Amino acid sequence: MGKKIKKSELKTDWSYSPALESTDHVRIPAINDLFIDGKFIPPIKGNYFKTINPANEEKLADVAEADNKDVDKAVKAARKAYNNVWSKMDPAERGKYIYRIARLIQERAREFSVIETMDGGKPIRESRDIDIPLVSAHFFYYAGWADKLEYAFPGKMAKPIGVAGQIIPWNFPLLMAAWKIAPALATGNTVVLKPAETTPLTAMKLAEIIQEADLPPGVVNIINGDGKTGRALVEHPDINKIAFTGSTDVGKLIMKSMAGTGKRYTLELGGKAANIIFEDAAIDQAVEGIIDGIFFNQGHVCCAGSRLFVQESVADTVISKLKDRMESLIVGDPLDKNTDIGAINSKMQLDKIKMYVKIGQKEGASIHQSSCKLPKKGYWYAPTIFTDVSQSHRIMQEEIFGPVLAIQTFRTVDEVITKANNIPFGLSGGVWTDKGAKIFQVSKAIRSGVLWGNTFNKFDPTSPFGGYKESGMGREGGLEGLMPYVNLV
Amino acid sequence: METFIHRIDQVGAQERVSRLFSRSIKKESKIEALHTVLSMIDLTTLEGKDSPGKVKQLCYKAAHLHDQLPNLPTVAAICVYPTMVAIAKKALEGTDINVASVATAFPSGMTPLEYKLNEVKMVVAEGADEVDMVISRGKFLGGEYNYVADEIASVKEACGKAHLKVILETGELVTLDNVRLASDIAMKSGADFIKTSTGKVSPAATPPVVLIMLEAIRDYFKKTGKKIGMKPAGGISKAKLSIQYLVMIKETLGQDWLNADLFRFGASSLANDVLMQILKQSTGVYQSANYFSMD
């Protein structure tokens, strides 16, 4: 391209100015007490722990730590509310309360998304466009079921089961609270919810909304704390059901402790999804799917597409495009509207990611990282991919829960199905091909709760979600998501 | 022909566009973008009723976008019909604004190749720096890809030193798979620029189409090391959309393409909206449209 057409003196190093989401409108109480029986009350022992912003390590607030006695108080409140009010209420009235919660969340969506981002480190684009809209969508969806249960289960009566203990993770804090609370309330159960100790703040905001919605006291109780609090909740004798989302290791402990107690449980555990790219796929769109699959929410996603299988004939093209695309990802301040990848949720998680990357290097895999500059303070990790990975590498077998992708190549459909299934997990997966028949062939053969065709990470309250094998049991979302909360008689 | 078929997923392409278009461009980056957009405009008049008077006025506007504002760039080029080339060339003397002429029986292209080549030679002889040709869409849709490729190569030869922009008329190609294939054929056959539309067919430039063409340019550059330019045309009249396109270029092709050598907007009314935004950035309020000359 010889001739210079335009002699303009304009700079060509155009970059985006910071576009920070305002935090002025956000009110975070300095002290967050336990929410029990409709009131905020201090913990009996008076212990508090701090929650920080992982993007700058600054303290955001103190949060009450619930011990066994506080848990007991919360369960008693839930039991009382169940017996006296909620299980007896006309279902249409129950629905009205849930609709009210949905609307209030919608009205305060901006505040929720900013707090979610500050407390958890995820980019504001995600909390604003994905997390919080899905939260209200879940409440709206299950509010609709409250007075229609006889249509959900024709010929049967759907009775509530009692008090549900719900323990949720830190990757989608408010969204997981919604997944748990909405179906429980719609079916007439009461709830004791324990958020993760690194991300308690949006759940405490939700407690404010529950007060504002005038929900009868004790129907929803929210208590904070670490694994000890969770354990106290799981082992409480007056709990009828446990709903847990978190790691497979903890899930196994919960199953053991509940054996023989008669308590019901649903477990939403780890994953290591296969994202499969065939040579006849739309490659540029598949690359977007790979990026979204592994780097969405810093890879802190149980259904993350963390194992990539690329057909050999297109492997070089796909990997080269993937590396280019990684360079255009903006890593930095989660409150900047242009940020694609935010902060790692905690120091503990960052250490775990670093450990696995070391393991991958020791195993002989080739590492490639985005050249992005990481902020000095806070917890950060650059988008990372591994090539030359074998099926027997630990980075191919174990859940890393961070922005780290392990890539293998394959030659035939049978080979990739075998490899994709050769793992203890089975939560999700993706298949990319221009051939409709191949999508069905592969999706039938892969044992996972959800398999996306030519897309990834699509969520909808009407669609059930859950795992095979060590990825868990029971389904959340959709009509199936009602089942764990009802006795059919 | 192509040994590797590039398949395009329409839904995925649209999703990518939405992501790119949600970038928040504020403050300095916005002002810089607005100036860049002005410098990339091919100020266009392509009407049956065009006259020397109209073209002369447009040429003056091209060089004097808004003299009340200091430090504004000029547009990149004026784009006119063949009979207006000499007039535009004369009116633009002393500026570094190029004259682009549509040719090859624009907009339909439904004329024998011989006439098309004569037309191209004529506009180049009259002083056109750039030639905007149309491809034979009927032949393309009939699967005669070699015909389309040969025709572009012949036009390129007839262009001599003039730059060749190849208009795909994506509104008639309909699918993104076709857009990608036509882009690949045009670049291989000698296009300096690929261009979406004539502006005479609806839809003209749509964001997914532009994205797919930019991706084709990126892949061609990776393969050959040659930088091909891009020109969306038709329907781009708002500053906001033009900035969103800059985001799309930056994140698809990189900084190298963020200048008038490799990117143009074919537009008639975009300049005034951009000017209005630039003025708003400095004064904080929008001015009446009456303050901006309508040429």
Side-chain angles (χ1 to χ4, degrees), chain B:
Chain B
M1 274 295 93
E2 289 292 293
T3 50
F4 182 80
I5 303 163
H6 292 272
R7 295 172 181 79
I8 310 296
D9 185 275
Q10 175 113 29
V11 176
Q14 185 62 57
E15 277 184 4
R16 178 72 185 128
V17 167
S18 308
R19 264 303 281 278
L20 289 165
F21 279 20
S22 71
R23 291 285 190 218
S24 176
I25 307 301
K26 304 273 185 243
K27 299 177 192 139
E28 296 80 24
S29 58
K30 182 171 184 183
I31 294 168
E32 198 181 328
L34 292 168
H35 282 80
T36 307
V37 168
L38 285 180
S39 76
M40 291 171 161
I41 291 175
D42 282 2
L43 205 56
T44 301
T45 183
L46 293 170
E47 289 176 0
K49 62 179 192 277
D50 282 348
S51 66
K54 157 84 184 177
V55 170
K56 279 184 213 162
Q57 288 191 358
L58 202 66
C59 288
Y60 188 83
K61 169 87 170 184
H64 305 268
L65 281 171
H66 197 69
D67 284 343
Q68 293 88 327
L69 268 175
N71 302 325
L72 283 185
T74 65
V75 300
I78 282 282
C79 185
V80 293
Y81 268 121
T83 50
M84 295 294 149
V85 171
I87 291 147
K89 193 70 191 170
K90 185 147 183 291
L92 290 171
E93 246 169 40
T95 71
D96 62 0
I97 299 167
N98 283 354
V99 174
S101 173
V102 296
T104 71
F106 178 95
S108 72
M110 299 298 274
T111 284
L113 178 60
E114 188 191 338
Y115 293 86
K116 294 183 184 176
L117 296 179
N118 282 339
E119 191 186 6
V120 170
K121 284 174 193 156
M122 174 277 215
V123 299
V124 174
E126 297 262 304
D129 306 285
E130 305 170 7
V131 174
D132 291 24
M133 73 168 287
V134 292
I135 66 165
S136 297
R137 285 88 75 187
K139 299 279 188 191
F140 181 93
L141 292 172
E144 296 183 52
Y145 304 128
N146 287 327
Y147 180 95
V148 175
D150 291 346
E151 191 176 54
I152 296 169
S154 307
V155 173
K156 170 70 180 172
E157 207 184 326
C159 278
K161 280 194 307 186
H163 271 231
L164 175 63
K165 304 197 197 98
V166 177
I167 302 171
L168 308 180
E169 195 64 302
T170 54
E172 290 187 345
L173 300 184
V174 183
T175 69
L176 292 177
D177 288 300
N178 279 345
V179 170
R180 172 69 199 222
L181 180 58
S183 302
D184 289 341
I185 291 172
M187 289 187 291
K188 268 192 173 174
S189 309
D192 297 304
F193 265 70
I194 51 177
K195 176 175 169 184
T196 59
S197 329
T198 60
K200 305 293 182 195
V201 166
S202 183
T206 66
V209 159
V210 177
L211 174 68
I212 295 313
M213 291 172 73
L214 292 175
E215 287 176 345
I217 291 171
R218 180 189 61 196
D219 292 350
Y220 188 74
F221 171 70
K222 280 256 165 185
K223 216 159 94 184
T224 65
K226 282 188 210 153
K227 290 179 179 167
I228 305 296
M230 171 70 194
K231 178 176 172 183
I236 304 165
S237 56
K238 294 292 173 208
K240 181 171 183 185
L241 180 59
S242 68
I243 294 176
Q244 287 170 323
Y245 277 127
L246 292 196
V247 168
M248 191 188 273
I249 307 167
K250 178 182 158 69
E251 298 199 22
T252 309
L253 287 166
Q255 300 284 0
D256 284 4
W257 267 263
L258 276 177
N259 61 70
D261 291 348
L262 288 169
F263 195 85
R264 300 285 181 82
F265 290 103
S268 47
S269 60
L270 172 63
N272 273 3
D273 194 58
V274 174
L275 290 169
M276 204 181 273
Q277 295 293 335
I278 291 177
L279 219 65
K280 193 241 168 184
Q281 291 295 318
S282 60
T283 62
V285 289
Y286 284 106
Q287 312 290 310
S288 152
N290 289 336
Y291 284 98
F292 303 93
S293 64
M294 316 260 261
D295 296 277

Side-chain angles (χ1 to χ4, degrees), chain A residues 1-8 10-20 125-126 128-129 279-285 288 292 313-314 317 320-321 324-325 328-330 336-340 432 434-435 454-456 458, chain B residues 4 7-9 12-13 15-16 19 22-30 32-33 35-36 39 73-76 96 98 129-130 163 180 192-193 212 215 218-219 222 227 229 243 246-247 250-251 255 258-262 264:
Chain A
M1 297 294 296
K3 183 181 160 203
K4 173 97 175 148
I5 298 174
K6 186 72 187 70
K7 298 165 197 75
S8 139
L10 287 161
K11 292 185 290 178
T12 53
D13 60 340
W14 185 53
S15 59
Y16 309 147
S17 305
L20 295 180
R125 186 192 65 79
E126 289 177 10
R128 181 197 63 203
D129 296 348
E279 61 189 358
D280 56 6
I283 298 293
D284 283 313
Q285 287 74 53
E288 287 308 311
D292 184 52
S313 58
V314 292
T317 309
S320 146
K321 278 173 182 278
D324 286 348
R325 180 70 177 87
S328 67
L329 291 169
I330 301 174
D336 192 313
K337 293 172 209 163
N338 290 325
T339 291
D340 295 314
W432 300 78
D434 220 24
K435 287 197 170 62
N454 291 329
T455 187
F456 211 91
K458 289 285 180 296
Chain B
F4 182 80
R7 295 172 181 79
I8 310 296
D9 185 275
E15 277 184 4
R16 178 72 185 128
R19 264 303 281 278
S22 71
R23 291 285 190 218
S24 176
I25 307 301
K26 304 273 185 243
K27 299 177 192 139
E28 296 80 24
S29 58
K30 182 171 184 183
E32 198 181 328
H35 282 80
T36 307
S39 76
T74 65
V75 300
D96 62 0
N98 283 354
D129 306 285
E130 305 170 7
H163 271 231
R180 172 69 199 222
D192 297 304
F193 265 70
I212 295 313
E215 287 176 345
R218 180 189 61 196
D219 292 350
K222 280 256 165 185
K227 290 179 179 167
I243 294 176
L246 292 196
V247 168
K250 178 182 158 69
E251 298 199 22
Q255 300 284 0
L258 276 177
N259 61 70
D261 291 348
L262 288 169
R264 300 285 181 82

